């Protein structure tokens, strides 16, 4: 019985250990991947997947790049097989010929990634693998094509139906709070006291999306301030000596920081769903809330101005006007707004509500935009229409104040040139 018990214990440990924590097989990883694709048994499949993930976790960057290049080159589609399968389907459309075409058109690496994901804990390992891919790929076109396969699979695995919205507060587990500090990407959290000021007061909220396969890893989180009126300064919003407000007396919810947490989920959109869900939940909880706005950075204003040969004005009103012109008129690829934060919020159906000079006194805020920040307003009754107009016509909706400022900024820019 002892021998049997030891055997069962070893099998259980091998099957359910976290990827990368156990020892990998000494066989070439290419052989393990081929065996995994040919495996028909669940037990052997899980063991193979575990060994592949364990092998990958132990590699240095050079080894990881070689692994990814094997996926990209040796597990790609065969164009001739795809052409033949498509010809056969065109000549005799049927379930059988269509299945053959689908099989030929899907690279083996997609099925490999699916099978790797059957191991408990593998989803997080695969997200980290894609983060490595994005970091190491450079301008390699085959690795860029491999990334499309990851994106295709992740878009299904991380769709809104699988995500869980959880509030984060001062009573949340310490390991989650540590990750909020680490992942904050907009306004750095410098200490536990700093974090406490953002989570503990009754007029502060924080929400994060989680995935059931990664229950201890936030995917994206938003920090919210409940205020009276729409704020125009991040320092005032986060001041240590500010007075805490009664949430029931507040009329505005301010989304002042939105941070994506997983580099391996870049381009997998959660922010749209997160903001709308949080706004709906807060509106249901607090009937006095009338406005849902952001207080957002303008991260590329200085870069754009430099590229246009424009000096950021020293005078605050002139700097506001230039920023308004930039937000409404500066274009990037596909006639979309040049500014990435603007693209995000306008694409979600928000409108440009107000622009504030001297709103961010931090070194980062000064370097990015001369301290200018912007409120994007989410009018819950209009977001769908705004989103449709932006997506189909690239129409940017803005308040009359911002529109007027943008005209002033455009005229000043023309005169400077």
């Amino acid at each position: 019985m002892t021998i049997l018990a030891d055997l069962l214990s070893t099998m259980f440990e091998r099957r359910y250990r976290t990827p990368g924590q156990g020892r990998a097989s000494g066989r070439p990883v290419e052989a393990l991947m081929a065996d995994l694709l040919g495996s028909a048994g669940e037990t052997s499949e899980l063991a193979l997947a575990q060994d592949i993930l364990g092998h990958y976790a132990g590699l240095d960057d050079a080894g990881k790049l070689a692994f990814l290049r094997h996926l990209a080159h040796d597990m790609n589609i065969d164009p001739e097989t795809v052409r033949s399968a498509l010809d056969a389907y065109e000549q005799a459309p049927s379930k059988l010929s269509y299945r053959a075409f689908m099989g030929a058109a899907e690279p083996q690496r997609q099925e490999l990634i699916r099978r790797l994901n059957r191991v408990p804990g593998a989803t997080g390992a695969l997200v980290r693998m894609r983060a490595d891919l994005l970091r190491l790929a450079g301008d390699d076109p085959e690795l860029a094509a491999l990334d499309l396969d990851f994106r295709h699979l992740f878009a299904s695995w991380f769709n809104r139906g699988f995500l869980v919205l959880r509030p984060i507060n001062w009573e949340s587990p310490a390991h989650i709070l540590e990750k909020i500090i680490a992942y904050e990407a907009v306004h750095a959290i410098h200490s536990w006291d700093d974090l406490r000021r953002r989570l503990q007061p009754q007029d502060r909220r924080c929400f994060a999306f989680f995935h059931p396969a990664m229950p201890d890893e936030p995917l994206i989180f938003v920090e919210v301030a409940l205020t009276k009126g729409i704020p125009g300064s991040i320092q005032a919003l986060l001041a240590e000596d500010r007075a805490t407000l009664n949430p029931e007396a507040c009329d505005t919810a301010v989304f002042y920081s939105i941070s994506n947490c997983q580099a391996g989920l870049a381009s997998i959109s959660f922010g749209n769903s997160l903001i709308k869900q949080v706004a709906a939940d807060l509106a249901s909880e607090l009937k006095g809330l009338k406005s849902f706005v952001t207080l957002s950075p303008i991260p590329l204003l200085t870069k754009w101005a430099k590229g246009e040969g424009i000096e950021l004005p020293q005078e605050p009103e002139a700097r506001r006007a230039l920023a308004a012109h930039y937000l409404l008129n500066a274009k990037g690829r596909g006639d979309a707004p040049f500014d990435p934060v603007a693209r995000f919020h306008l694409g979600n159906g928000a409108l440009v509500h107000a622009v504030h000079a001297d709103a961010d006194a931090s070194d980062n805020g000064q370097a990015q935009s001369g301290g200018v920040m912007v409120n994007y307003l989410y009018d819950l009754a209009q977001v769908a229409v705004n989103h449709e107009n932006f997506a189909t016509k690239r129409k940017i909706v803005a308040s009359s104040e911002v529109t007027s400022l943008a005209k002033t900024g455009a005229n000043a820019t023309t005169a400077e040139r």
Side-chain angles (χ1 to χ4, degrees):
M1 289 295 293
T2 300
I3 295 175
L4 178 58
D6 288 346
L7 177 61
L8 290 173
S9 176
T10 300
M11 291 176 64
F12 183 88
E13 185 277 331
R14 180 185 179 98
R15 178 169 177 174
Y16 291 106
R17 67 179 182 260
T18 301
Q21 297 301 310
R23 65 184 182 278
S25 166
R27 297 178 59 214
V29 71
E30 294 84 1
L32 296 178
M33 287 190 272
D35 288 350
L36 178 58
L37 287 171
S39 173
E42 181 182 2
T43 301
S44 59
E45 182 178 287
L46 290 171
L48 286 165
Q50 183 66 259
D51 273 352
I52 293 166
L53 291 169
H55 170 89
Y56 180 84
L59 295 174
D60 59 14
D61 278 356
K64 289 179 177 179
L65 188 56
F67 180 101
L68 295 167
R69 281 180 171 152
H70 175 70
L71 296 185
H73 181 76
D74 299 305
M75 306 189 76
N76 199 359
I77 59 171
D78 176 37
E80 186 55 44
T81 302
V82 175
R83 279 190 289 268
S84 297
L86 180 58
D87 289 343
Y89 177 71
E90 287 180 326
Q91 293 169 13
S94 69
K95 179 180 179 180
L96 185 63
S97 61
Y98 183 61
R99 179 184 293 159
F101 169 68
M102 289 179 66
E106 180 179 280
Q108 282 186 311
R109 60 198 182 218
Q110 279 198 24
E111 180 60 21
L112 177 79
I113 295 168
R114 288 192 194 96
R115 295 194 181 200
L116 290 175
N117 194 47
R118 293 172 187 172
V119 176
T123 304
L126 291 169
V127 169
R128 292 189 292 274
M129 187 182 292
R130 183 177 179 238
D132 291 334
L133 172 61
L134 295 173
R135 180 172 56 87
L136 299 171
D139 57 0
D140 187 314
E142 287 192 320
L143 292 177
L146 170 61
D147 183 53
L148 290 178
D149 289 314
F150 273 101
R151 288 178 60 179
H152 169 72
L153 294 170
F154 286 1
S156 297
W157 299 351
F158 290 91
N159 77 58
R160 176 63 185 92
F162 292 120
L163 304 184
V164 179
L165 182 68
R166 285 162 48 184
I168 306 296
N169 53 49
W170 191 240
E171 283 69 45
S172 295
H175 68 278
I176 298 294
L177 298 182
E178 288 174 344
K179 288 173 180 175
I180 296 299
I181 293 174
Y183 290 139
E184 167 60 60
V186 184
H187 303 293
I189 299 173
H190 300 288
S191 65
W192 283 97
D193 285 340
D194 196 1
L195 179 66
R196 186 200 302 269
R197 286 191 291 271
R198 301 196 193 189
L199 299 183
Q200 191 176 48
Q202 60 179 344
D203 60 353
R204 293 295 186 260
R205 301 284 193 277
C206 181
F207 299 88
F209 269 149
F210 291 81
H211 191 281
M214 300 170 62
D216 294 324
E217 281 288 344
L219 307 182
I220 185 174
F221 66 89
V222 60
E223 296 168 71
V224 185
L226 304 176
T227 65
K228 293 181 180 179
I230 296 175
S233 165
I234 191 63
Q235 273 70 42
L237 199 68
L238 299 178
E240 293 185 29
D241 59 352
R242 68 172 190 85
T244 300
L245 301 176
N246 178 356
E248 299 293 338
C250 294
D251 58 16
T252 303
V254 186
F255 305 101
Y256 66 88
S257 181
I258 302 170
S259 297
N260 287 294
C261 305
Q262 308 298 322
L265 293 176
S267 303
I268 310 299
S269 179
F270 309 116
N272 184 359
S273 298
L274 177 65
I275 290 175
K276 291 177 181 176
Q277 183 67 60
V278 169
D281 289 356
L282 288 174
S284 177
E285 175 193 352
L286 300 168
K287 303 303 182 183
L289 293 180
K290 304 302 180 185
S291 299
F292 298 88
V293 301
T294 74
L295 182 57
S296 298
I298 310 177
L300 297 185
L301 176 60
T302 300
K303 179 180 178 180
W304 169 81
K306 184 177 181 180
E308 296 290 315
I310 302 169
E311 289 284 341
L312 285 185
Q314 294 297 313
E315 203 276 321
E317 282 302 308
R319 201 158 61 248
R320 281 179 68 217
L322 178 65
H325 164 60
Y326 163 77
L327 291 169
L328 269 56
N329 300 312
K331 302 298 181 183
R333 188 166 48 189
D335 201 36
F338 186 86
D339 193 84
V341 177
R343 287 197 300 271
F344 172 76
H345 289 296
L346 295 170
N348 289 346
L351 63 86
V352 187
H353 177 72
V355 179
H356 306 279
D358 300 327
D360 187 351
S362 70
D363 291 343
N364 188 51
Q366 293 296 314
Q368 288 184 336
S369 64
V372 185
M373 299 187 77
V374 55
N375 301 123
Y376 296 99
L377 174 67
Y378 281 82
D379 181 343
L380 301 185
Q382 289 295 120
V383 289
V385 173
N386 292 345
H387 163 75
E388 184 67 21
N389 286 332
F390 181 81
T392 59
K393 305 173 187 175
R394 287 289 182 245
K395 180 180 178 181
I396 296 175
V397 182
S399 67
S400 58
E401 178 190 17
V402 172
T403 301
S404 177
L405 274 174
K407 290 177 181 177
T408 301
N411 291 336
T413 300
T414 302
E416 183 174 337
R417 288 173 178 161

